[in-house]
């Protein structure tokens, strides 16, 4: 066997193992989706069924059996609301930092990131008691605010990096023409950074959607998001695997797809910009 | 833009984040020195460090601390080793690579409560779960995963979610590796391991340390997986510090002790954060 053939064979083996890893990692998700199409008795059948006549019943009757849309709506409102708030605060700030960076800019950004490292459980009591005092327990407003604050540092950092990539010459030219700062942001910076802003928002939505500490601790039913709703199936009486699987499938599907699109921002956002 | 306007634009984010940090933080520190139980509001007052003493003389404290360290350490080891292996395997052109990539990173986007339920019920359930079916098919006694090895079960779940994170980061970094250097090394007859040690590992040194630090921050705070699967049990076998503090606050309603625990958690996270911030600071160009 020549060196080239050996190299080729090695490559083939590596690819086989890569696929094995991919199948193993994806299997629990596949199994969950599959179970969503079973009847309850098929779902707990022994031995487990790989081939069966699929039913759509779990999906079509999801609303009758659970209050799915209520929780889905809460998830949508809190993740989009939290993201919107974070973006509204972050865009002007990151813009100012990127184009008017001063001596403290780096320190400010680093400090912002450090607030992200404060463990939630460390401030559980104050947040809980403050929400209680102001009658904000189990409300979407609380979650929107917390999610915005949680994601603000990451959003700031990614936007800062995006804005810095905009060539300064373009802005200078427009300033020569006497464009105001507001017009500069709206007509020049936003269109140029649009892709970056959209994918940053996507990352923030993913992080809010999957947040599972505050949503469990601070809500009971009124403002519960899908993460908290799914957590409520932990009780033994929640042994409706097919139903839970259908709910779970619907709950994760949009976010998994978002995740595929936001991979690059995810790498940057979750490593706080250290890996690009 | 004039400097004054720049300051005005920056102010909201800085002020809000400052309040978001300083208000709860000082309240936690304040509560931790107070006698404060929601069930007995009439008993109050300054108690010095006795909440701290109560927290770390609690018979659950030491197991919780050990569990936290075992959980974080094991998950780190598994995710980094597996993440390295898989990202190297997939770092070559082949048909369907995009699909394999998507399959590999998908678990990371599953919400923690869903992944906990999928593992708890459909995979690890000793009666109807898939693992039990495999054991039965092989003529073995099915394992009572959450009963007999609760902490290990949680390590598996968390690793399943976070190995994709390591894969994603390492995969991204490997793309920037100098291919010509690798080809030259191959031509010179350098074997896989020699290339791995001398080229790949040094190239990934930074991403590896970042992955480790970030995972430490997140894994010190693991909550939902435990909440949904074992509730910290049996006994305190799968209780970590986060869950212990949660119990103190939400079941014992002891604000003082929970806050003392909170301060402890913050200090622990900060030890990691110092290194992380330093590592990030090196890459942030202003």
């Amino acid at each position: 066997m020549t060196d080239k053939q050996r190299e080729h064979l090695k490559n083939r083996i590596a690819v086989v193992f890569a696929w094995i890893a991919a199948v193993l990692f994806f299997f629990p998700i596949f199994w969950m989706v599959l179970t969503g199409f079973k009847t309850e008795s098929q779902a707990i059948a022994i031995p487990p069924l790989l081939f069966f006549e699929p039913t759509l019943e779990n999906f079509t009757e999801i609303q009758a059996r659970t209050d799915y849309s209520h929780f889905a709506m809460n998830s949508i409102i809190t993740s989009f609301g939290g993201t919107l708030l974070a973006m509204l605060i972050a865009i002007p700030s990151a813009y100012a930092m990127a184009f008017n960076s001063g001596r403290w800019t780096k320190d400010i950004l680093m400090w912002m990131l450090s607030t992200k490292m404060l463990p939630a459980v460390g401030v559980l009591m104050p947040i809980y008691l403050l929400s209680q005092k102001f009658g904000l327990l189990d409300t979407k407003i609380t979650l929107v605010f917390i999610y915005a604050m949680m994601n603000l540092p990451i959003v700031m950092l990614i936007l800062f990096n995006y804005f810095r990539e905009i060539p300064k010459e373009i802005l200078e030219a427009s300033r020569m023409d006497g464009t105001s700062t507001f017009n500069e942001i709206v007509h020049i910076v936003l269109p140029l950074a649009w892709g970056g802003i959209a994918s940053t928002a996507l990352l923030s939505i993913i992080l809010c959607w999957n947040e599972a500490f505050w949503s469990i601790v601070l809500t009971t039913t009124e403002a519960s998001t899908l993460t908290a709703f799914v957590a409520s199936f932990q009780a033994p009486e929640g042994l409706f695997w097919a139903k839970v699987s259908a709910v779970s499938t619907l709950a994760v599907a949009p976010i998994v797809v978002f995740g595929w699109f936001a991979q690059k921002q995810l790498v940057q956002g979750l490593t706080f910009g250290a890996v690009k | 833009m004039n400097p004054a306007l720049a300051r005005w634009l920056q102010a909201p984010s800085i002020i809000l984040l400052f309040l978001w940090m300083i208000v709860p933080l000082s309240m936690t520190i304040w509560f931790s020195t107070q006698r404060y139980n929601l069930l007995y509001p009439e008993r109050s007052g300054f108690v010095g460090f006795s909440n701290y003493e109560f927290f770390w003389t609690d018979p659950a404290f030491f197991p919780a601390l050990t569990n936290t360290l075992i959980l974080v350490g094991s998950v780190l080891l598994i995710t980094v080793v597996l993440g390295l292996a898989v990202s190297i395997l997939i770092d070559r052109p082949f048909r369907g690579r995009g699909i394999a990539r998507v399959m590999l990173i998908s678990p990371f986007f599953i919400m923690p409560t869903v992944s906990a339920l999928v593992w708890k019920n459909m995979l690890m359930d000793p009666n109807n779960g898939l693992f039990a079916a495999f054991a039965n098919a092989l003529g073995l006694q099915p394992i009572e995963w959450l009963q007999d090895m609760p902490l290990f079960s949680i390590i598996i779940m968390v690793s399943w979610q976070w190995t994709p994170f390591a894969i994603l980061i390492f995969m991204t970094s490997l793309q920037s590796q100098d291919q010509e250097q690798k080809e030259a090394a191959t031509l010179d007859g350098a074997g896989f391991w020699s290339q791995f040690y001398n080229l790949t590992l040094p190239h990934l040194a930074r991403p590896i340390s970042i992955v480790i630090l970030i995972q430490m921050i997140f894994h010190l705070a693991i909550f939902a997986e435990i909440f949904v699967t074992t509730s910290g049990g049996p006994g305190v076998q799968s209780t970590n510090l986060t869950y212990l503090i949660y119990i103190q606050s939400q079941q014992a309603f002891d604000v003082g002790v929970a806050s003392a625990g909170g301060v402890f958690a913050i200090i622990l996270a900060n030890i990691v954060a110092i290194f992380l911030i330093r590592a990030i600071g090196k890459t942030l160009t202003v």
Side-chain angles (χ1 to χ4, degrees):
Chain A
M1 201 159 46
T2 66
D3 276 0
K4 202 157 188 184
Q5 278 173 320
R6 187 175 299 139
E7 211 38 50
H8 190 67
L9 183 68
K10 270 193 201 161
N11 242 324
R12 291 291 278 275
I13 295 173
V15 170
V16 169
F17 275 99
W19 276 111
I20 292 176
V23 168
L24 285 179
F25 270 96
F26 195 72
F27 182 78
I29 300 174
F30 164 75
W31 195 246
M32 171 188 83
V33 175
L34 198 69
T35 307
F37 289 97
K38 293 178 178 176
T39 63
E40 290 301 345
S41 58
Q42 284 170 338
I44 54 168
I46 308 170
L49 298 171
L50 188 58
F51 300 102
F52 56 93
E53 197 168 324
T55 168
L56 281 173
E57 200 189 337
N58 295 312
F59 293 95
T60 52
E61 301 205 355
I62 214 160
Q63 194 50 36
R65 296 178 186 178
T66 67
D67 204 358
Y68 178 81
S69 66
H70 168 72
F71 301 105
M73 208 55 204
N74 283 345
S75 270
I76 292 172
I77 293 172
T78 52
S79 13
F80 281 76
T83 300
L84 188 69
L85 184 57
M87 299 298 279
L88 283 179
I89 302 167
I91 290 175
S93 288
Y95 171 81
M97 280 189 190
F99 292 110
N100 270 54
S101 55
R103 197 147 53 101
W104 301 105
T105 304
K106 182 171 176 172
D107 293 312
I108 293 174
L109 273 172
M110 299 302 285
W111 161 73
M112 284 184 167
L113 288 177
S114 76
T115 65
K116 179 83 189 130
M117 296 168 198
L118 200 66
V121 75
V123 293
L124 167 62
M125 274 345 291
I127 300 290
Y128 186 86
L129 292 171
L130 283 174
S131 315
Q132 196 180 40
K133 192 171 165 60
F134 294 107
L136 290 170
L137 272 182
D138 202 13
T139 61
K140 292 185 269 291
I141 296 175
T142 312
L143 286 184
V144 166
F145 179 75
I146 291 178
Y147 289 176
M149 289 301 115
M150 260 174 40
N151 286 323
L152 189 54
I154 291 185
V155 169
M156 283 287 300
L157 180 83
I158 305 180
L159 288 179
F160 175 81
N161 282 335
Y162 269 115
F163 289 152
R164 280 188 60 83
E165 281 167 18
I166 294 176
K168 284 218 163 76
E169 294 75 25
I170 298 182
L171 293 178
E172 273 157 21
S174 81
R175 274 174 213 169
M176 297 286 220
D177 299 341
T179 314
S180 72
T181 305
F182 178 77
N183 279 326
E184 191 179 299
I185 295 190
V186 173
H187 294 297
I188 298 170
V189 176
L190 286 186
L192 280 175
W194 190 241
I197 291 173
S199 39
T200 309
L202 210 55
L203 168 68
S204 167
I205 291 169
I206 295 172
L207 295 177
C208 296
W209 190 273
N210 287 348
E211 200 283 327
F213 181 76
W214 294 116
S215 64
I216 289 174
V217 173
L218 293 180
T219 69
T220 44
T221 48
E222 194 45 46
S224 287
T225 61
L226 285 170
T227 44
F229 175 53
V230 171
S232 70
F233 286 106
Q234 54 148 326
E237 62 266 30
L239 202 73
F240 298 104
W241 292 5
K243 184 176 90 176
V244 178
S245 297
V247 168
S248 302
T249 303
L250 290 179
V252 301
I255 283 319
V256 171
V257 175
F258 279 14
W260 296 338
F261 287 113
Q263 281 181 42
K264 203 179 137 219
Q265 284 64 41
L266 203 78
V267 172
Q268 217 196 103
L270 287 172
T271 59
F272 302 106
V275 175
K276 282 176 196 162
Chain B
M1 194 188 328
N2 65 51
L5 180 63
R7 272 199 292 276
W8 276 108
L9 291 179
Q10 291 179 41
S13 65
I14 296 174
I15 293 170
L16 276 170
L17 269 180
F18 184 72
L19 291 176
W20 167 243
M21 178 190 79
I22 204 72
V23 173
L25 191 60
S26 29
M27 282 173 79
T28 295
I29 295 172
W30 169 249
F31 288 154
S32 74
T33 64
Q34 300 290 309
R35 173 173 300 166
Y36 188 178
N37 190 314
L38 294 176
L39 296 179
Y40 313 100
E42 70 283 359
R43 298 182 206 160
S44 61
F46 182 79
V47 291
F49 284 103
S50 76
N51 283 326
Y52 290 88
E53 209 181 312
F54 189 87
F55 184 72
W56 62 58
T57 51
D58 182 335
F61 172 74
F62 195 69
L65 182 63
T66 331
N67 288 340
T68 306
L69 297 178
I70 294 175
L71 183 58
V72 174
S74 321
V75 172
L76 278 180
L77 191 71
I78 295 171
T79 53
V80 170
V81 171
L82 264 182
L84 273 176
V86 175
S87 57
I88 288 173
L89 283 177
I90 203 169
D91 185 42
R92 64 197 76 236
F94 61 88
R95 189 179 304 185
R97 178 162 178 249
I99 298 171
R101 213 182 122 114
V102 159
M103 286 168 78
L104 281 167
I105 58 172
S106 293
F108 190 63
F109 304 122
I110 305 293
M111 53 177 70
T113 47
V114 164
S115 88
L117 271 187
V118 168
W119 282 88
K120 178 192 182 185
N121 291 335
M122 289 178 294
L123 298 176
M124 287 177 165
D125 187 87
N127 299 313
N128 305 87
L130 205 56
F131 292 170
F134 279 128
N136 284 327
L138 296 172
L140 301 168
Q141 183 70 22
I143 300 168
E144 299 236 5
W145 289 92
L146 296 172
Q147 272 299 315
D148 295 343
M149 36 183 91
L151 192 59
F152 183 62
S153 304
I154 287 168
I155 290 172
I156 296 178
M157 291 174 205
V158 178
S159 302
W160 176 70
Q161 286 215 284
W162 282 84
T163 304
F165 171 71
I167 295 174
L168 183 62
I169 306 294
F170 296 156
M171 213 160 51
T172 310
S173 311
L174 280 176
Q175 279 162 3
S176 65
Q177 195 179 8
D178 191 344
Q179 289 303 321
E180 281 176 19
Q181 207 180 24
K182 266 173 78 179
E183 277 159 26
T186 313
L187 285 180
D188 288 346
F192 170 79
W193 289 109
S194 143
Q195 274 189 45
F196 177 73
Y197 277 115
N198 297 314
L199 295 176
T200 311
L201 213 50
H203 179 75
L204 288 180
R206 257 186 62 75
I208 291 174
S209 56
I210 296 285
V211 163
I212 290 177
L213 290 168
I214 286 168
Q215 288 205 61
M216 281 170 90
I217 298 273
F218 279 95
H219 298 338
L220 283 172
I222 285 174
F223 172 76
E225 289 84 350
I226 297 175
F227 178 83
V228 172
T229 56
T230 63
S231 302
V236 289
Q237 283 183 54
S238 58
T239 299
N240 68 353
L241 279 174
T242 304
Y243 200 78
L244 183 66
I245 298 167
Y246 166 78
I247 298 275
Q248 289 289 0
S249 70
Q250 302 290 302
Q251 288 173 17
F253 298 101
D254 198 325
V255 181
V257 173
S259 297
V263 172
F264 189 81
I266 291 171
I267 293 172
L268 204 61
N270 270 328
I271 297 173
V272 182
I274 290 170
F275 291 98
L276 183 54
I277 286 284
R278 253 188 225 165
I280 297 165
K282 281 184 197 147
T283 45
L284 187 66
T285 47
V286 172

